[in-house]
Amino acid sequence: MTRTIFAALLLTSAANAQEAPPAVHTETRALPGLSAPGEIVVDRAGIPHIYAANARDGFFLQGYAVARDRLWQIDLWRKRGLGRLAASFGPAFVAQDRASRLLLYRGDMAAEWAAYAPAAKTWTQAFADGINAFVGDVEAGRQPLPIEFTATDSRPERWQADDIVRIRSNALASNIPSEVLRARALCGGDVKYEPLRRQLSPMRPVTIPKGLDPCSIPDNVLDVYMAGTSDVRFDGKKLVVASRVDPDTLEGSNNWVIAPGRSATGRPILANDPHRAHAVPNLRYLSHIDTPELKIAGSGEPALPGVSFGHNEDVAWALTIFAIDQQDLVVNPKGTKLTEVRETIAVKGAAPQEVVLKFSADSPIIHEDAASGRSFAVRATWSKPGASAYFNASWAFTAKNWDEFLIARNHWGAPPLNLLFASRAGDIGWAPGGFVPVRAGGDGLLPVPAGKAHDWTGLLDAKLMPVVYNPAKGWFATANEFNVPEGYPHLLALEWGDRSRITRINEVISGKAKFSLTDAMALQNDATSAMAQRAVKLLAGLQGDTAANRAALALLQGWDGHEGPDSAAAALYEIWAARTLPVSAVKSIVPQDKRLNFGRTSIGNILPVLEDGVLLGNNPALARRNILLSSLSIAWEEAVRLMGPDPAKWRWGALHVADFQPALTIAGREAERRVGPLPIGGSGSTPMAMGSGPDFHLVSGASVRVVLDVGAWDNSVAINTPGQSGDPASPHYRDLFPRWAAGQYVPFVWSRERVLQEAERIIRITPAS
């Protein structure tokens, strides 16, 4: 979308703000648990702006507002995380419940709460009480029961603060699945081909730990782990490891911060668009809390109090995944002493079932191999106090400057993040945070034998993490790439996102003397792929040897890498990059007897191999040519099969569609609950991250986008797809979906005056007697 269109969108929003606002619906109610009167002002985008007499009441009303919009979603999140699905949905969920309980935090709760901001437990219990107040209204018939509960003949449960922080499986820890895939590839494989399977940063040879036989890792070693970390599925299908670690669909994000000297506003600009799996409703929720002692606004997961990223009165912060390796799969020998914990799982429609949870000295056991007597344990930083996902954002809620923001960074446990900072005073910075295990030996790339040689000796002192404060170039951006400063002495991780998004982001920002809010919105929706440009560069000068690859070369050579929904070249490129080039490269480079367990790879791993030629044999140029041409021929034929024989009619948006459907099917209600389909541009390698599944349908990317005008908060904008509400009867269930798909935004205002201008509904709440 062009700069002109974005400017028009902003002007339209400003003009609307000056017009007489539409009629505002007002309602009143009384709630037990509130200490003083408060308000929830819902704006025209469905964003709740919460006004309360104190911070405790603010979080109470936030919990109530979230439950009003997302009760089914957050109730399911809690039941999954705590291992309480079978109580609501029956025997089919007992195994997942057992897995979830195995991965809960089981340490000292006093130490856990002490890791967060001093008021965090009070705030969290208030948030839980607000959810419970809405559940009480539902039970009393004052609010409707969401249709999913009726369809499953289940009911929402009550919350406690401890419930929320004990759940660790939403912490985006890594890299156990990757360790297992690597071990499988090396069972009969060869480490020399590892760069083709997974690029490392910085590059290093893969070394098999002494005492580890890669073939000793069972194929089903992660079944329990996957069950305990995956979303709830009502279709009975099993989640497999490969679907979670495909490099093209890894969850990521973009963020950048612009200093006043480079900003068109004269103030810092902070932009953030976290990328996760798309869903309806999605994983993010926008909200705003305003109390005398605490004022925050931003986005977070709906089941968590406060915001994960956003701003207070003085500072703003943004996040992307910073790929610290926070896990190891530990192989215990036969005879290892294990501790058993027995728990009873309530089962709907059946007798309760007793399950046995087993633990080694420091880790849950996720698999036992009867034949060898070995057991396999997950050693993870999430077992440490302070590792509940995003909870150390609580320290940022009250930060007033860089030094106070670093307190949040120094406490940060999970997920590991690139934290960007901006203040009203004009300062900006980068401070990655997250627990870093210090390994006695090894690099975290493969499972390790139990024993002192591969133990963790502690956690890295957070003050030793790198920082950048007020960079001379006047901006800083991250996109999950390897960005550890050269010479940094501590091993953090070796598996990072490819550089395609950050390459394009850097190109756009560095090319502007002054960067505006409009520029930030345009960049979040930029559909140019540096990966595609890099791939097309390899085609320069090639002459085809079949009608199919000559036609493919004619379409791709000279293409600029822009993946708009109407682009025929983008459609062919994505078929080539996702389906045919990886297969052709692996068949050509890896001997048949070495690729039995090689698994999947992606173009991000293939391009460096094709570029440097090291693995291409005695005649790299010929090998490269053969791989490119053969894969292009097959890609052209596949494009004809999918889109017809006339390339003039091909469109990327014909394959790449946003079509969101709830996980739970309700007969006769699917049309009203489905959101989409809409053709969509971009890909997983563009700043407008739009990751595809095997059928090219959209599966991941930025569900929420936020652009903050730091200090002039009323100028900030956001979008959250498909809408703020999870209720299909709500006007805010899908209202933001077409705007999001078109790259548009809504006001994300801060001042009371502007909030009331944007108001659609005011809910006045008093304490119940």
Side-chain angles (χ1 to χ4, degrees):
M1 183 172 293
T2 66
R3 181 186 179 99
T4 302
I5 295 174
F6 275 102
L9 290 172
L10 286 179
L11 289 172
T12 300
S13 176
N16 289 342
Q18 297 175 8
E19 295 173 358
V24 178
H25 179 80
T26 301
E27 58 187 87
T28 60
R29 64 191 58 165
L31 291 179
L34 197 65
S35 71
E39 283 184 348
I40 302 173
V41 180
V42 181
D43 69 21
R44 292 194 289 271
I47 301 170
H49 302 263
I50 294 153
Y51 296 90
N54 52 67
R56 187 264 166 204
D57 280 5
F59 284 98
F60 177 95
L61 291 177
Q62 186 192 35
Y64 190 87
V66 166
R68 176 180 174 271
D69 284 326
R70 305 280 189 98
L71 183 58
W72 166 255
Q73 180 189 27
I74 63 173
D75 182 76
L76 191 63
W77 178 89
R78 176 185 169 278
K79 288 172 178 173
R80 186 211 63 80
L82 293 177
R84 294 192 49 80
L85 294 170
S88 288
F89 309 120
F93 293 89
V94 169
Q96 186 168 7
D97 280 350
R98 178 189 176 275
S100 295
R101 294 181 185 209
L102 192 64
L103 302 180
L104 284 169
Y105 174 71
R106 291 178 175 269
D108 179 63
M109 290 307 299
E112 170 73 1
W113 285 112
Y116 309 122
K121 185 173 184 179
T122 298
W123 295 340
T124 306
Q125 187 58 57
F127 179 79
D129 290 343
I131 295 172
N132 294 338
F134 187 84
V135 172
D137 276 358
V138 170
E139 292 171 344
R142 292 185 292 270
Q143 294 286 350
L145 181 70
I147 60 174
E148 294 89 349
F149 290 102
T150 302
T152 57
D153 190 25
S154 64
R155 294 296 180 268
E157 295 182 340
R158 302 296 178 112
W159 292 50
Q160 291 291 328
D162 286 1
D163 296 345
I164 301 172
V165 295
R166 290 187 66 218
I167 296 171
R168 296 297 213 239
S169 46
N170 63 329
L172 297 182
S174 64
N175 67 338
I176 275 182
S178 183
E179 293 178 15
V180 171
L181 289 182
R182 183 169 288 107
R184 289 178 182 170
L186 295 180
C187 179
D190 191 324
V191 294
K192 70 178 285 187
Y193 301 112
E194 273 297 291
L196 182 65
R197 200 189 60 80
R198 185 71 167 94
Q199 290 283 308
L200 304 179
S201 298
M203 286 299 296
R204 66 162 65 185
V206 174
T207 302
I208 299 174
K210 184 178 180 181
L212 175 71
D213 175 6
C215 296
S216 71
I217 307 300
D219 288 345
N220 61 344
V221 69
L222 290 186
D223 282 3
V224 170
Y225 175 88
M226 296 301 296
T229 57
S230 299
D231 293 334
V232 182
R233 298 193 66 154
F234 292 95
D235 57 9
K237 293 181 180 178
K238 178 182 176 182
L239 284 148
V240 295
V241 178
S243 69
R244 287 292 297 270
V245 295
D246 179 355
D248 286 336
T249 58
L250 285 173
E251 293 162 327
S253 305
N254 304 321
N255 63 12
W256 55 84
V257 61
I258 313 296
R262 288 292 299 268
S263 167
T265 68
R267 297 176 295 273
I269 295 172
L270 185 69
N272 202 180
D273 55 302
H275 310 155
R276 297 288 293 274
H278 281 296
V280 52
N282 80 46
L283 188 65
R284 306 292 183 184
Y285 187 76
L286 293 162
S287 62
H288 169 202
I289 298 174
D290 189 314
T291 75
E293 72 265 36
L294 181 71
K295 303 178 192 298
I296 55 173
S299 176
E301 296 188 9
L304 308 181
V307 298
S308 301
F309 66 95
H311 68 91
N312 59 31
E313 292 180 282
D314 300 299
V315 308
W317 66 97
L319 53 85
T320 69
I321 290 294
F322 181 75
I324 298 170
D325 184 350
Q326 296 184 317
Q327 295 178 327
D328 281 337
L329 182 67
V330 180
V331 184
N332 297 312
K334 182 178 181 179
T336 298
K337 183 179 179 180
L338 303 178
T339 300
E340 293 187 357
V341 175
R342 295 179 181 271
E343 295 192 357
T344 299
I345 295 178
V347 182
K348 179 181 178 180
Q353 292 192 30
E354 184 179 76
V355 296
V356 179
L357 312 178
K358 295 185 180 182
F359 302 84
S360 61
D362 64 349
S363 308
I365 302 299
I366 58 168
H367 185 78
E368 293 181 274
D369 184 53
S372 67
R374 298 185 189 95
S375 61
F376 298 82
V378 174
R379 180 180 293 152
T381 55
W382 66 27
S383 67
K384 310 293 184 184
S388 191
Y390 302 104
F391 250 75
N392 277 303
S394 59
W395 293 97
F397 294 170
T398 57
K400 296 183 180 300
N401 52 50
W402 172 252
D403 289 339
E404 292 183 10
F405 179 73
L406 285 181
I407 294 173
R409 191 287 301 269
N410 292 343
H411 282 87
W412 203 275
L417 298 174
N418 288 290
L419 294 166
L420 291 188
F421 165 90
S423 73
R424 293 175 63 186
D427 298 313
I428 67 170
W430 167 72
F435 289 163
V436 180
V438 178
R439 293 174 169 86
D443 53 19
L445 290 177
L446 282 159
V448 294
K452 292 183 178 179
H454 296 285
D455 276 350
W456 291 0
T457 61
L459 298 176
L460 183 70
D461 183 347
K463 294 178 182 178
L464 298 177
M465 292 287 279
V467 297
V468 172
Y469 182 54
N470 287 332
K473 65 182 180 180
W475 57 276
F476 201 97
T478 81
N480 317 114
E481 80 284 3
F482 175 64
N483 60 357
V484 179
E486 185 176 357
Y488 182 74
H490 305 289
L491 177 64
L492 302 176
L494 294 167
E495 297 177 303
W496 303 79
D498 72 70
R499 296 192 61 84
S500 55
R501 283 181 288 116
I502 195 64
T503 296
R504 177 60 177 169
I505 291 167
N506 287 346
E507 177 186 37
V508 171
I509 297 177
S510 63
K512 294 180 179 293
K514 295 289 185 179
F515 195 82
S516 69
L517 296 170
T518 302
D519 293 329
M521 288 184 277
L523 185 51
Q524 286 185 335
N525 291 273
D526 187 291
T528 296
S529 169
M531 182 80 76
Q533 293 173 335
R534 188 175 165 191
V536 168
K537 187 176 180 180
L538 289 174
L539 305 179
L542 278 185
Q543 300 294 320
D545 55 12
T546 68
N549 61 37
R550 283 193 291 269
L553 287 169
L555 186 56
L556 291 179
Q557 286 176 333
W559 176 51
D560 64 1
H562 181 75
E563 298 197 68
D566 294 329
S567 171
L572 176 62
Y573 165 76
E574 286 295 335
I575 293 169
W576 178 51
R579 291 191 176 178
T580 68
L581 180 58
V583 173
S584 295
V586 171
K587 284 185 177 179
S588 175
I589 296 170
V590 184
Q592 186 172 359
D593 65 340
K594 299 296 183 184
R595 62 173 185 257
L596 178 63
N597 299 313
F598 190 84
R600 297 180 61 186
T601 188
S602 70
I603 190 169
N605 301 312
I606 293 165
L607 290 183
V609 172
L610 295 180
E611 289 163 345
D612 68 31
V614 173
L615 293 177
L616 299 184
N618 295 328
N619 191 337
L622 178 61
R624 183 185 305 112
R625 175 183 181 276
N626 290 339
I627 291 169
L628 294 173
L629 291 181
S630 64
S631 60
L632 281 172
S633 291
I634 302 169
W636 185 269
E637 293 164 359
E638 181 70 356
V640 169
R641 185 183 71 82
L642 291 172
M643 295 178 289
D646 184 0
K649 297 180 180 179
W650 293 355
R651 299 289 183 271
W652 174 221
L655 302 177
H656 195 225
V657 297
D659 189 7
F660 304 155
Q661 302 184 49
L664 176 67
T665 299
I666 302 178
R669 306 295 295 268
E670 291 316 293
E672 68 184 275
R673 299 173 72 233
R674 179 182 182 181
V675 179
L678 275 181
I680 204 81
S683 71
S685 64
T686 63
M688 183 178 73
M690 295 288 182
S692 304
D695 60 358
F696 298 111
H697 283 202
L698 180 66
V699 296
S700 65
S703 59
V704 66
R705 302 182 182 118
V706 176
V707 177
L708 300 176
D709 187 348
V710 177
W713 306 113
D714 279 342
N715 298 332
S716 302
V717 294
I719 195 71
N720 192 26
T721 194
Q724 283 280 102
S725 176
D727 177 4
S730 167
H732 301 300
Y733 180 73
R734 56 166 55 83
D735 58 323
L736 301 183
F737 178 64
R739 300 187 195 186
W740 164 84
Q744 298 174 5
Y745 292 74
V746 297
F748 191 29
V749 296
W750 175 254
S751 69
R752 174 79 174 179
E753 177 185 7
R754 286 290 287 117
V755 167
L756 292 177
Q757 288 176 353
E758 295 291 332
E760 174 185 87
R761 178 181 300 267
I762 299 176
I763 306 170
R764 296 192 172 103
I765 303 176
T766 58
S769 55

